[in-house]
Amino acid sequence: MTLANASGKAILFGEHAVVYGQPAIAVPLSHIRATVQVENLDPGSTGVLIEAPDIHQSYWLREADGENPLASAVRLTLDELNLKASVDIHLTIRSQLPIASGLGSSAAVSVAVIRALSAHLEKPLEVETISKIAYRVECLHHGTPSGIDNTVVAYEKPVYFIRENEPELIPISSPLNLIIGDTGVSMRTSIPVSLLRERWEKDPGTYGGWFEEIGEIVINARTMLETGSIESLGTLMDQNQALLEDMGLSSFELQRLIRAARKAGALGAKLSGAGMGGIMLALVEPDTAQIVETALREAGAKQVFITEVDE
Ligand code: PMV
């Protein structure tokens, strides 16, 4: 039996603008993970049995349609390993990550599947290859992904990411205490991404200007991360949030959680990921973490995760 896992992720700065060529910064969330177990099936079985008990799914790979992201991750990995038709195995997939919420659930599941299959079949893959396979799964299901999710999850390090460039792994000089509040409103990434594209096509001047402003925030944030200026990072998060609000990507539930976090003493707060639902992120000092957590629960967060990001 082989076990492998992968972390969730949070985008600290630059979501959406990253699709239009601006930089973004994302961090792995090593305390929130997807896990995949692989076992050999009894002799005489034919193929790959996929089970995801958390979402009550169980099916054979050969019966899964092209829309199925788990099946796509398995097929693309077996293709990469040149093992398409010849394995009889049982995959069990579990995840602590809420689906369609901005925590990188689909990238984490894909990377965990790829790591588990390559380890079980004793054909190790380079991290770049793992990231590329996960990107192809994202492309099948999310339209025009920038590639940030698969990159941060595959490398499992804080990344400064510009579309179609080599990812830069960035040092973080003091640990970041983050609190994540889940609105409980699931939102497929492709919906806000295509809405924004329509708005940008109608008014490229205004939206292009906002993307550039976000790009500048991201460049400043990188410096603040590297120098450990945590308070300034909070201010930059608030500025990034204001621009995401201008672009119509926030929501009533997100606003309520963001306001509650700031009022309870967070250094900054913003939506994270695609928006219009999903999660928000607050940066806190360690001694205010508990107060912010309580405030988020009182403001209606369906789940709250407290996590620390460091090197
Ligand atoms: O899938 P999510 O919710 O983490 O959002 C991805 C981030 C976007 O910038 C909105 C899209 C992308 O492909 O980068």
Side-chain angles (χ1 to χ4, degrees), residues 100-161:
S101 68
L103 285 173
S105 153
S106 61
V109 166
S110 293
V111 168
V113 163
I114 302 162
R115 285 182 181 154
L117 282 174
S118 64
H120 189 78
L121 301 166
E122 295 177 355
K123 290 182 163 241
L125 292 171
E126 299 285 331
V127 66
E128 291 95 318
T129 311
I130 295 175
S131 182
K132 275 186 191 136
I133 298 172
Y135 179 69
R136 288 174 63 201
V137 180
E138 301 281 290
C139 286
L140 288 172
H141 307 287
H142 298 313
T144 54
S146 62
I148 191 167
D149 283 21
N150 52 283
T151 302
V152 66
V153 172
Y155 285 83
E156 213 156 330
K157 291 261 188 319
V159 292
Y160 180 86
F161 180 87

Side-chain angles (χ1 to χ4, degrees), residues 9 11 15-16 18-19 101-102 104 144-149 189 193 273-274:
K9 71 98 203 11
I11 298 181
E15 51 276 275
H16 285 290
V18 69
V19 176
S101 68
T144 54
S146 62
I148 191 167
D149 283 21
T189 305
V193 168

Side-chain angles (χ1 to χ4, degrees), residues 8-12 27-32 96-98 101-104 176-184 237 254 257-258 261 268-273 278-284 289 292-294 296-297 301-309:
K9 71 98 203 11
I11 298 181
L12 292 188
V27 293
L29 300 173
S30 43
H31 304 102
I32 321 172
Q96 301 169 318
L97 294 149
S101 68
L103 285 173
L176 299 178
N177 294 283
L178 298 175
I179 305 201
I180 293 159
D182 182 2
T183 60
M237 284 172 77
L254 283 165
L257 298 185
I258 289 167
K270 63 183 278 293
L271 69 83
S272 177
I279 56 146
M280 52 71 69
L281 195 63
L283 179 66
V284 296
V292 175
E293 182 194 2
T294 307
L296 287 175
R297 290 197 193 280
K302 297 291 176 289
Q303 292 188 82
V304 179
F305 302 94
I306 300 187
T307 185
E308 190 184 274
V309 176

Side-chain angles (χ1 to χ4, degrees), residues 35 51-57 92-97 99:
T35 305
E51 279 196 285
D54 303 340
I55 49 171
H56 312 290
Q57 288 189 1
T92 309
I93 298 155
R94 292 178 196 275
S95 176
Q96 301 169 318
L97 294 149
I99 294 171

